[in-house]
């Protein structure tokens, strides 16, 4: 649990007085739809109870004063000096103020004291959690009326242009738009989002999220290579994006390169699995999501080739220990897995994975049971 008393005390130390309020942005996990976003496809994330919280208040001057409880670091910058590419952790906060100003909104000096329990760099989007919390805070403080999807776009602009990370809208849309006990089915072409019920506990299930703690290596290069392969395939097929493939066999027949065929098969099949998952969830058939999770993992392992030993071991052990379905979630080459489990069994399954990791000489994983939570807003 995050210590909001410590956050308020720190605000007092740094800014003098009480914050005007506390705002939060949740982390998120992707239920299904991996590497489909940049192919104009579909994704289905849900927000987590793990979140970033900012204690915030306006200032009389034009300074942005930021502090992270976790890093014990204070950064200060004048609003007029905000410029993309100023790299440390504070860019995720400062970038939002910059993005708001760039989009024509009037904002003034602000104190932002941050704490977060979203694990960093595990693929649970600690970055979007921060951005979306800051958007919520600054919109309330400066009376900006901005629609939820536009808030997500402001947060993405901060991450893309200010931080310099070329990500899609998935993370920020999930962190802004999600509802408790719902997933967010997002069409990455039209940017239309639909809430879809995920009443897991009601149906006797829980979702284990396990961080394999595998250090990512070569992720950026591999990500770039996958993207390029998809773009090249779409160009050969004469379609705007792989989302537009209507007949997979026909598309594969038109591609000579075996690696490219595998990449296309992943993207197209993952897109149909995500659509199918959306339909099943709409019908309340959560148990039937399990085979889709398994198929998604196999596709990421064999066709997209973005899993690693630890991730495969975690998924196999989860299944052997009784999970209904399991898959890697996130961009790949490490990060987290999710496992759909019967209520009360997630902890045992996680311990079996931890034992398998110990036996194989891997680092100890960390885990929690995830419940679909609500999107960014005011906490207090
Ligand atoms: P992810 O979003 O998958 O967790 P990113 O690399 O996109 O990984 O974002 C992680 C970055 O966000 C960190 O390197 C750090 O700069 C910033 N960050 C996350 N949590 C905190 C925090 N509590 N305090 C300061 N910066 C943080
Ligand atoms: Mg991120």
């Amino acid at each position: 649990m995050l210590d909001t008393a410590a956050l308020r005390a720190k605000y007092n130390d740094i800014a003098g007085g009480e914050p005007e309020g506390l705002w939060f942005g949740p982390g998120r996990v992707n239920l299904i739809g991996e590497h489909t976003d940049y192919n104009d496809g579909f994704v289905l994330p849900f927000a987590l109870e793990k979140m970033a919280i900012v204690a915030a208040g306006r200032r009389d001057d034009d300074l942005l004063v930021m502090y992270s409880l976790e890093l014990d670091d204070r950064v200060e910058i004048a609003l007029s000096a905000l410029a993309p590419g100023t790299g440390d952790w504070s860019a995720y906060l400062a970038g939002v103020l910059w993005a708001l100003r760039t989009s024509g909104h009037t904002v003034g000096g602000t104190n932002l004291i941050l704490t977060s329990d979203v694990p960093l760099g595990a693929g649970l989007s600690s970055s979007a959690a921060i951005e979306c919390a800051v958007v919520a805070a600054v919109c309330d403080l400066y009376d900006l009326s901005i629609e939820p999807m536009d808030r997500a776009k402001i947060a993405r602009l901060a991450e893309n242009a200010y931080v310099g990370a070329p990500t899609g809208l998935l993370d920020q849309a999930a962190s802004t738009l999600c509802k408790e006990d719902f997933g967010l089915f997002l069409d990455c072409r039209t940017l239309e989002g639909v809430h879809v019920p995920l009443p897991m506990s009601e149906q006797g299930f829980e979702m284990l999220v396990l961080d394999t703690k595998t250090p990512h290596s070569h992720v950026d290069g591999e990500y770039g290579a996958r993207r390029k392969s998809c773009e090249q395939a779409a160009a050969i097929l004469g379609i705007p994006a792989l989302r537009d493939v209507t007949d997979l066999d026909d598309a594969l027949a038109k591609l000579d390169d075996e690696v490219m065929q595998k990449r296309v098969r992943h993207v197209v099949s993952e897109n149909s699995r995500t659509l199918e998952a959306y339909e099943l969830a709409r019908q309340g058939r959560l148990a039937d999501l399990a085979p889709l999770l398994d198929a998604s993992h196999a596709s990421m392992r064999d066709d997209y080739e973005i899993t690693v030993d630890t991730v495969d071991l975690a998924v196999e052990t989860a299944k052997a220990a009784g999970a209904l379905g399991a898959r890697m979630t996130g961009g790949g080459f490490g990060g987290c897995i999710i496992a759909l489990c019967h209520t009360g069994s997630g902890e045992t399954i996680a311990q079996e994975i931890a034992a398998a990791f110990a036996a194989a000489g891997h680092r100890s994983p960390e885990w929690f049971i995830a419940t679909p939570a609500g999107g960014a807003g005011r906490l207090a």
Side-chain angles (χ1 to χ4, degrees):
M1 262 328 249
L2 288 167
D3 188 350
T4 52
L7 189 66
R8 286 176 183 279
K10 192 43 106 172
Y11 188 97
N12 209 328
D13 276 0
I14 288 190
E18 285 290 307
E20 290 184 69
L22 265 48
W23 287 265
F24 75 99
R28 63 99 191 101
V29 72
N30 198 18
L31 180 62
I32 197 159
E34 224 62 77
H35 289 263
T36 45
D37 57 347
Y38 53 82
N39 289 293
D40 276 3
F42 308 107
V43 293
L44 182 35
F46 65 84
L48 298 171
E49 283 169 336
K50 292 187 180 293
M51 59 174 72
I53 303 179
V54 287
R58 289 165 292 179
R59 296 177 59 92
D60 295 332
D61 54 21
D62 97 318
L63 284 183
L64 182 55
V65 177
M66 297 163 284
Y67 181 87
S68 160
L69 244 55
E70 284 71 33
L71 302 183
D72 187 19
D73 191 27
R74 180 186 196 276
V75 178
E76 188 179 298
I77 184 170
L79 289 176
S80 53
L82 291 174
T86 36
D88 65 0
W89 66 271
S90 65
Y92 294 95
L93 295 85
V96 168
L97 280 283
W98 173 85
L100 283 166
R101 283 161 64 97
T102 299
S103 309
H105 299 287
T106 305
V107 298
T110 308
N111 299 307
L112 294 166
I113 313 302
L114 166 73
T115 187
S116 172
D117 63 358
V118 185
L120 262 77
L124 300 178
S125 220
S126 66
S127 59
I130 297 173
E131 292 150 5
C132 296
V134 173
V135 174
V138 177
C139 283
D140 281 359
L141 289 174
Y142 285 100
D143 262 332
L144 310 177
S145 105
I146 305 178
E147 293 297 311
M149 190 57 94
D150 291 330
R151 290 182 181 215
K153 288 180 188 169
I154 293 281
R156 178 180 61 172
L157 180 61
E159 179 133 2
N160 290 169
Y162 199 93
V163 177
T167 58
L169 192 64
L170 160 66
D171 300 351
Q172 292 83 6
S175 183
T176 303
L177 294 156
C178 277
K179 289 202 305 194
E180 213 173 302
D181 287 327
F182 282 77
L184 180 73
F185 175 73
L186 182 69
D187 180 329
C188 297
R189 172 169 280 167
T190 62
L191 297 187
E192 234 176 294
V194 185
H195 292 112
V196 57
L198 294 176
M200 283 187 281
S201 58
E202 218 173 85
Q203 296 195 15
F205 305 123
E206 61 188 22
M207 189 69 81
L208 167 68
V209 177
L210 179 135
D211 182 358
T212 62
K213 307 289 266 181
T214 307
H216 289 210
S217 53
H218 312 302
V219 188
D220 293 346
E222 295 285 354
Y223 180 85
R226 297 300 180 284
R227 260 189 107 130
K228 196 159 167 224
S229 214
C230 292
E231 281 161 18
Q232 285 173 341
I236 294 170
L237 297 170
I239 49 179
L242 291 183
R243 186 257 185 71
D244 300 302
V245 170
T246 46
D247 182 334
L248 178 59
D249 290 333
D250 179 57
L252 295 180
K254 289 182 179 142
L255 302 170
D256 298 329
D257 185 82
E258 209 179 304
V259 171
M260 193 180 277
Q261 287 175 337
K262 293 206 298 186
R263 305 300 187 244
V264 169
R265 193 160 56 213
H266 167 72
V267 171
V268 175
S269 64
E270 183 76 354
N271 234 359
S272 4
R273 280 187 290 273
T274 309
L275 268 172
E276 205 181 322
Y278 166 62
E279 272 310 319
L280 290 169
R282 270 168 32 119
Q283 295 166 23
R285 294 164 54 192
L286 298 190
D288 292 334
L289 294 176
L292 294 176
L293 302 183
D294 293 341
S296 170
H297 188 77
S299 177
M300 291 188 286
R301 183 190 59 212
D302 303 334
D303 280 341
Y304 224 53
E305 299 179 281
I306 53 172
T307 68
V308 289
D309 288 355
T310 47
V311 164
D312 291 334
L313 178 62
V315 164
E316 282 154 26
T317 311
K319 291 283 294 178
L324 289 93
R327 64 181 284 270
M328 181 185 77
T329 182
F333 306 100
C336 292
I337 68 143
I338 55 171
L340 184 65
C341 311
H342 291 291
T343 301
S345 70
E347 178 63 29
T348 318
I349 290 172
Q351 283 177 8
E352 295 214 16
I353 299 173
F357 272 38
H362 300 317
R363 282 188 205 193
S364 306
E366 285 181 16
W367 62 84
F368 60 93
I369 302 297
T371 308
R378 187 163 188 153
L379 193 68

